[in-house]
Amino acid sequence: MPVAPYPVPHTATARRLEWAFLPTNLRAWIERKCGSPVVRAISQTSGFTPGFASVLVCEDGSRHFVKAASVKAQRMFADSYREEARKLAALPPAVPAPRLLWHLDDDWVVLGIEYVAARLPQRPWQADDLDALLDSLEEAADALTPPPAELRLDTAEADFAPLLEGWATLRATRTDLDPDRLAEAEALARRYAEVVGGDTLVHTDIRSDNVLIDPDGRALVCDWNWPVRGAAWFDSFAALIGPRGEGLDVEAVIAGRRLLRDVDPEALDVNLALYVGYFFTQCELPVPSTSPHIRAHQRWQGEVCWDWLAERQGWS
């Protein structure tokens, strides 16, 4: 059952740099890569980061998707885009994702990514969009097991360890939750290393604003910034959080998907508990001015995961 309506405008969550505010010489360089002067820039306002991300419409009618961040003023996001370029360049052709066409790594990190005439998944989530996404995640898992050797990925076990750090604060702040149930959830979360390992490149950030649905109904997965080596089912399970919160019967989905149906149910509960700790901790942090909706998004995700875990555990 839905926890509560999704609380943020999912197509207008980011405050991004606009084309006119990029340096003149950088705009000229991008136009040369595009092969034609830019006559219109359509900012992509979904997501939770402030880097430049726009569809550029050129004088010759061509369209280009470009992302950019200043190394000096937006170092964290420039680092993220740099990693995205490295990961996109290594993805096998069978992975359903827009391709990297060119990039710049200088005072600015700039990515030219294949433009796709596509849309975001509908919210509330619809079954056909979720099916398309899960189909694509299965294709990606097949193509990315094992991961491209040149990426030298961290393991999920190592990468997810910091997600446990907020439990002491969570126990102190969420006095509205049964402390015995919280203790049970924490015990589950602390077993995460038993279940998340594997030999697949895992995206780790599957949510609606990182997915495009093309005109043929195929889902494309975007924003490959921080993948790890982990369990092949991890992304497919993460993809169910939003749909679960918006009323879809995701337990039936699990039973019908080849990457999920044979996973030990306790492993899924461990993963849900890990999400609970992460989202409930992150949502209490200060709200960044460049991403005013991120804490509400994280709080909602945490509530969805808590409600789902409670149902699966039979907590009253």
Side-chain angles (χ1 to χ4, degrees):
M1 295 296 293
V3 172
Y6 186 58
V8 303
H10 74 280
T11 59
T13 52
R15 292 179 177 173
R16 297 191 181 277
L17 281 171
E18 298 287 344
W19 173 250
F21 294 100
L22 297 184
T24 302
N25 62 334
L26 182 63
R27 282 186 279 134
W29 187 89
I30 292 171
E31 288 182 319
R32 287 195 296 273
K33 296 300 290 185
C34 292
S36 180
V38 172
V39 296
R40 185 183 177 203
I42 307 167
S43 185
Q44 304 303 288
T45 52
S46 62
F48 297 95
T49 59
F52 176 83
S54 288
V55 173
L56 302 181
V57 183
C58 290
E59 194 173 76
D60 64 1
S62 63
R63 292 184 176 229
H64 311 261
F65 181 54
V66 177
K67 302 172 78 167
S70 165
V71 171
K72 181 177 180 180
Q74 298 177 304
R75 177 169 295 277
M76 180 173 67
F77 304 106
D79 289 344
S80 177
Y81 286 174
R82 182 179 294 115
E83 283 302 309
E84 182 177 4
R86 192 168 76 88
K87 292 353 189 290
L88 283 175
L91 290 183
V95 176
R99 318 319 291 188
L100 178 71
L101 302 178
W102 46 263
H103 79 284
L104 172 71
D105 192 344
D106 198 354
D107 293 339
W108 286 72
V109 177
V110 186
L111 280 62
I113 299 172
E114 175 188 10
Y115 169 73
V116 181
R119 60 172 175 83
L120 293 172
Q122 296 182 64
R123 298 294 295 270
W125 273 92
Q126 304 297 305
D128 55 350
D129 282 354
L130 178 57
D131 283 341
L133 173 56
L134 294 172
D135 287 346
S136 289
L137 291 176
E138 290 168 3
E139 292 178 32
D142 291 344
L144 294 168
T145 305
E150 65 268 29
L151 288 182
R152 302 181 302 280
L153 299 172
D154 289 341
T155 65
E157 296 94 321
D159 194 75
F160 297 165
L163 274 59
L164 296 175
E165 294 173 358
W167 275 97
T169 301
L170 174 54
R171 290 194 303 271
T173 56
R174 288 305 300 260
T175 56
D176 58 311
L177 299 177
D178 184 324
D180 293 334
R181 299 311 189 198
L182 267 183
E184 291 180 58
E186 181 179 359
L188 283 170
R190 292 194 178 280
R191 294 174 49 203
Y192 82 96
E194 300 172 17
V195 306
V196 299
D199 196 29
T200 299
L201 185 152
V202 178
H203 182 284
T204 75
D205 199 18
I206 299 296
R207 55 178 197 253
S208 62
D209 57 281
N210 286 340
V211 177
L212 293 172
I213 307 294
D214 75 12
D216 295 324
R218 188 187 191 205
L220 302 175
V221 182
C222 309
D223 290 6
W224 295 80
N225 305 78
W226 306 114
V228 300
R229 182 187 293 263
W233 53 264
F234 186 92
D235 284 336
S236 290
F237 189 62
L240 302 182
I241 296 174
R244 155 77 193 198
E246 293 177 335
L248 292 186
D249 181 359
V250 296
E251 294 293 343
V253 173
I254 289 171
R257 303 303 307 202
R258 64 179 174 89
L259 291 183
L260 294 170
R261 61 189 174 217
D262 296 325
V263 178
D264 182 346
E266 193 167 44
L268 301 181
D269 292 345
V270 166
N271 213 53
L272 274 177
L274 186 68
Y275 288 144
V276 165
Y278 172 73
F279 288 127
F280 277 167
T281 300
Q282 291 294 303
C283 73
E284 298 299 334
L285 298 177
V287 178
S289 60
T290 55
S291 189
H293 300 288
I294 190 169
R295 303 306 178 213
H297 163 79
Q298 290 166 334
R299 182 170 290 104
W300 185 83
Q301 298 252 102
E303 295 290 350
V304 171
C305 291
W306 177 260
D307 179 78
W308 190 6
L309 179 62
E311 180 180 291
R312 289 176 58 90
Q313 291 287 302
W315 298 339
S316 56

